[in-house]
Amino acid sequence: AMDTEADLFYRQLPKVELHAHLNGSVSFETMETLIKRKPHLIEHRMTAILSGQRRALHECFQVFKVIHQLVDSEEDILMVAKAVIQEFAADGVKYLELRSTPREVTETGLTKQRYIETIRQCKREEVDIDVRFLVAVDRRHGPEVAMDTVKLAEDFLLSSDGIVVGLDLSGDPTEISISLILQVGHGKYLLSALEKAKNCGLKLALHLSEVRAHGNVFY
Ligand SMILES: CC(C)=CCNc1ncnc2c1ncn2[C@@H]1O[C@H](COP(=O)(O)O)[C@@H](O)[C@H]1O
């Protein structure tokens, strides 16, 4: 369909985007490219992702699992991050805070360090957009991973020319009851990692109380 005058107006209007999960910002086009690159991923998963139908919250997190399979190498992350930045810029975003959970993938040699480094590097000079990065902690992985991630984020905070600015706490809140049994995902177990992050100068962005569940709050 043709763009109306209003569409153009809103697209050109300078904007800030402060809540973009990298793997939650993958466009339809990029998704198709990724799927072509990984044809071994079975058919029904692709159609599930491309259908665009309404989803319950826990189903959204299933989609993330598929996207994570599609984006599992340095090359993939670079491609996705560049595309996401490009697309936000084309949408009139002038200041973008991207957040993403660093992952380690043995088969492709991806490390958490390289994951962050790759995103850090991908800002393209020719695009008129200011990009900052928040390192994300998946609450389901518990306090030890959280603390390791904070340390990694701190290293980048000190050495990445202001690109890494903060820490994000996220992860599927509908799975909290499982982590509660394992005593890992409860907010109170993550407090010390968050305190460390705050004390070293990382800004905090916290997902809290998205669902009604014990352990999804700090007490
Ligand atoms: C789908 C939807 C509307 C959810 C909104 N609420 C959310 N709550 C908690 N964590 C989230 C949410 N959306 C994305 N995330 C986090 O972002 C990750 C995907 O982006 P990334 O791999 O970190 O780059 C998910 O695995 C999850 O850890």
Side-chain angles (χ1 to χ4, degrees), residues 75-111:
E75 195 190 352
D76 294 338
I77 290 153
L78 189 68
M79 195 269 273
V80 166
K82 279 186 173 179
V84 165
I85 292 169
Q86 179 81 55
E87 287 155 2
F88 275 122
D91 213 20
V93 173
K94 300 295 176 195
Y95 178 80
L96 168 64
E97 281 182 0
L98 269 180
R99 47 183 91 185
S100 196
T101 323
R103 276 175 293 133
E104 202 170 73
V105 183
T106 321
E107 301 82 59
T108 65
L110 181 66
T111 64

XYZ file of all heavy atoms in Angstrom, residues 75-111:
286
model
N 28.744 -14.188 12.661
C 28.281 -13.699 11.364
C 26.784 -13.346 11.405
O 26.359 -12.298 10.908
C 28.545 -14.806 10.343
C 28.464 -14.400 8.907
C 28.488 -15.631 7.998
O 28.727 -16.758 8.492
O 28.236 -15.446 6.796
N 26.000 -14.228 12.018
C 24.555 -13.981 12.133
C 24.279 -12.728 12.954
O 23.427 -11.911 12.601
C 23.852 -15.154 12.830
C 23.889 -16.443 12.026
O 24.063 -16.375 10.791
O 23.761 -17.522 12.650
N 24.979 -12.609 14.084
C 24.739 -11.472 14.968
C 25.081 -10.168 14.273
O 24.350 -9.182 14.368
C 25.533 -11.626 16.282
C 24.916 -12.750 17.099
C 25.543 -10.340 17.096
C 25.881 -13.418 18.012
N 26.193 -10.195 13.542
C 26.595 -9.000 12.809
C 25.527 -8.614 11.791
O 25.119 -7.455 11.691
C 27.936 -9.253 12.104
C 28.583 -8.030 11.480
C 29.031 -7.069 12.570
C 29.782 -8.419 10.634
N 25.045 -9.604 11.064
C 24.032 -9.357 10.034
C 22.750 -8.800 10.661
O 22.202 -7.795 10.201
C 23.757 -10.676 9.286
C 23.024 -10.550 7.991
S 21.255 -10.685 8.203
C 21.066 -12.463 8.112
N 22.294 -9.445 11.732
C 21.056 -9.026 12.385
C 21.196 -7.631 12.998
O 20.330 -6.771 12.811
C 20.622 -10.061 13.467
C 19.550 -9.497 14.375
C 20.138 -11.341 12.802
N 22.310 -7.397 13.695
C 22.478 -6.103 14.364
C 22.553 -4.972 13.335
O 21.939 -3.918 13.516
C 23.723 -6.124 15.240
N 23.287 -5.195 12.246
C 23.370 -4.167 11.204
C 21.999 -3.880 10.611
O 21.629 -2.727 10.405
C 24.334 -4.616 10.091
C 25.780 -4.389 10.442
C 26.670 -4.704 9.258
C 28.111 -4.313 9.570
N 29.021 -4.625 8.453
N 21.258 -4.947 10.344
C 19.933 -4.776 9.742
C 18.997 -4.037 10.704
O 18.272 -3.126 10.295
C 19.350 -6.137 9.363
N 19.023 -4.424 11.976
C 18.138 -3.795 12.962
C 18.456 -2.303 13.081
O 17.550 -1.458 13.081
C 18.234 -4.515 14.337
C 17.617 -3.686 15.453
C 17.556 -5.881 14.262
N 19.742 -1.963 13.147
C 20.144 -0.564 13.262
C 19.696 0.213 12.022
O 19.111 1.302 12.118
C 21.675 -0.451 13.466
C 22.056 -1.001 14.843
C 22.148 0.995 13.298
C 23.546 -1.184 15.056
N 19.958 -0.377 10.860
C 19.558 0.227 9.588
C 18.058 0.492 9.548
O 17.597 1.564 9.140
C 19.953 -0.760 8.471
C 19.613 -0.336 7.075
C 20.657 0.630 6.567
O 21.842 0.311 6.570
N 20.248 1.814 6.154
N 17.280 -0.489 10.002
C 15.820 -0.376 9.942
C 15.284 0.662 10.930
O 14.362 1.410 10.599
C 15.180 -1.748 10.168
C 15.353 -2.668 8.954
C 15.301 -4.152 9.270
O 15.097 -4.515 10.448
O 15.500 -4.951 8.336
N 15.876 0.708 12.115
C 15.463 1.757 13.063
C 15.805 3.134 12.501
O 15.009 4.074 12.623
C 16.101 1.550 14.438
C 15.331 0.604 15.338
C 15.929 -0.541 15.849
C 14.011 0.874 15.687
C 15.215 -1.410 16.683
C 13.292 0.016 16.524
C 13.908 -1.132 17.016
N 16.984 3.246 11.901
C 17.393 4.534 11.314
C 16.421 4.947 10.218
O 15.992 6.102 10.145
C 18.814 4.435 10.779
N 16.038 3.987 9.387
C 15.107 4.272 8.289
C 13.731 4.662 8.831
O 12.938 5.301 8.140
C 14.986 3.048 7.381
N 13.466 4.292 10.077
C 12.193 4.606 10.710
C 12.262 5.922 11.489
O 11.349 6.241 12.254
C 11.820 3.452 11.644
C 10.317 3.235 11.728
O 9.592 3.684 10.810
O 9.868 2.643 12.727
N 13.366 6.638 11.332
C 13.471 7.955 11.954
C 14.026 7.949 13.371
O 14.005 8.967 14.052
N 14.518 6.775 13.819
C 15.101 6.716 15.167
C 16.499 7.335 15.122
O 17.327 6.965 14.300
C 15.151 5.264 15.695
C 15.915 5.184 17.013
C 13.742 4.717 15.873
N 16.738 8.298 16.011
C 18.027 9.001 16.048
C 18.883 8.509 17.198
O 20.089 8.671 17.202
C 17.813 10.519 16.199
C 17.005 11.147 15.080
C 17.760 11.049 13.782
C 16.918 11.593 12.628
N 17.485 11.173 11.330
N 18.237 7.999 18.238
C 18.961 7.447 19.378
C 18.356 6.086 19.709
O 17.151 5.968 19.945
C 18.872 8.372 20.599
C 19.569 7.793 21.805
C 20.955 7.880 21.940
C 18.845 7.140 22.799
C 21.604 7.325 23.036
C 19.490 6.573 23.905
C 20.858 6.674 24.011
O 21.504 6.117 25.090
N 19.211 5.075 19.683
C 18.746 3.694 19.873
C 19.509 3.022 21.002
O 20.745 3.031 21.010
C 18.963 2.913 18.568
C 18.803 1.390 18.612
C 17.372 0.983 18.948
C 19.221 0.775 17.270
N 18.778 2.465 21.962
C 19.407 1.611 22.959
C 19.004 0.170 22.672
O 17.855 -0.214 22.852
C 18.988 2.017 24.384
C 19.760 3.221 24.877
C 19.423 3.630 26.309
O 18.577 2.985 26.947
O 20.022 4.621 26.774
N 19.991 -0.600 22.189
C 19.781 -2.014 21.913
C 20.165 -2.805 23.150
O 21.133 -2.470 23.820
C 20.695 -2.466 20.776
C 20.212 -2.394 19.340
C 21.312 -2.912 18.418
C 18.935 -3.193 19.147
N 19.380 -3.837 23.430
C 19.777 -4.727 24.523
C 19.783 -6.144 23.991
O 18.959 -6.494 23.130
C 18.850 -4.579 25.727
C 17.387 -4.582 25.388
C 16.510 -4.362 26.602
N 16.197 -2.946 26.834
C 15.525 -2.507 27.882
N 15.090 -3.349 28.793
N 15.268 -1.229 28.041
N 20.713 -6.968 24.487
C 20.742 -8.347 24.030
C 21.485 -9.227 25.029
O 22.396 -8.761 25.708
C 21.399 -8.449 22.649
O 21.096 -9.701 22.069
N 21.061 -10.475 25.091
C 21.641 -11.435 26.023
C 22.819 -12.139 25.366
O 22.622 -12.893 24.404
C 20.579 -12.510 26.387
O 19.286 -11.898 26.479
C 20.935 -13.208 27.674
N 24.050 -11.914 25.833
C 25.184 -12.598 25.211
C 25.064 -14.112 25.377
O 24.709 -14.592 26.448
C 26.399 -12.045 25.970
C 25.869 -11.411 27.197
C 24.463 -11.012 26.915
N 25.314 -14.820 24.287
C 25.223 -16.288 24.316
C 26.531 -16.916 23.872
O 27.281 -16.338 23.110
C 24.104 -16.769 23.382
C 22.731 -16.749 23.986
C 21.677 -17.124 22.973
N 21.563 -16.121 21.921
C 21.518 -16.399 20.629
N 21.584 -17.642 20.196
N 21.408 -15.419 19.749
N 26.719 -18.150 24.356
C 27.882 -18.934 24.012
C 27.363 -20.088 23.174
O 26.399 -20.731 23.582
C 28.417 -19.481 25.333
C 29.839 -19.892 25.364
C 30.208 -20.168 26.815
O 29.757 -21.216 27.321
O 30.878 -19.324 27.426
N 27.917 -20.323 21.975
C 27.476 -21.458 21.165
C 28.720 -22.243 20.744
O 29.503 -21.786 19.913
C 26.677 -21.001 19.917
C 26.170 -22.208 19.125
C 25.502 -20.102 20.305
N 28.895 -23.424 21.333
C 30.111 -24.210 21.117
C 30.315 -24.544 19.643
O 31.421 -24.401 19.119
C 30.048 -25.527 21.933
O 29.456 -25.239 23.196
C 31.419 -26.108 22.135
N 29.247 -24.963 18.969
C 29.363 -25.434 17.580
C 29.881 -24.356 16.631
O 30.540 -24.667 15.644
C 28.006 -25.942 17.047
C 27.390 -27.099 17.839
C 26.640 -26.624 19.075
O 25.693 -25.838 18.922
O 27.012 -27.025 20.197
N 29.553 -23.107 16.892
C 29.977 -22.048 15.970
C 31.159 -21.255 16.533
O 31.640 -20.315 15.901
C 28.824 -21.053 15.706
O 28.506 -20.382 16.938
C 27.580 -21.751 15.186
N 31.593 -21.612 17.750
C 32.724 -20.915 18.362
C 32.358 -19.557 18.947
O 33.233 -18.783 19.323
N 31.056 -19.296 19.025
C 30.620 -18.010 19.573
C 30.860 -17.960 21.084
O 30.537 -18.901 21.797
C 29.129 -17.805 19.279
C 28.510 -16.493 19.765
C 29.103 -15.300 19.023
C 26.995 -16.520 19.579
N 31.447 -16.863 21.549
C 31.599 -16.653 22.996
C 30.788 -15.429 23.393
O 30.433 -14.611 22.543
C 33.071 -16.398 23.374
O 33.501 -15.173 22.747
C 33.967 -17.543 22.934
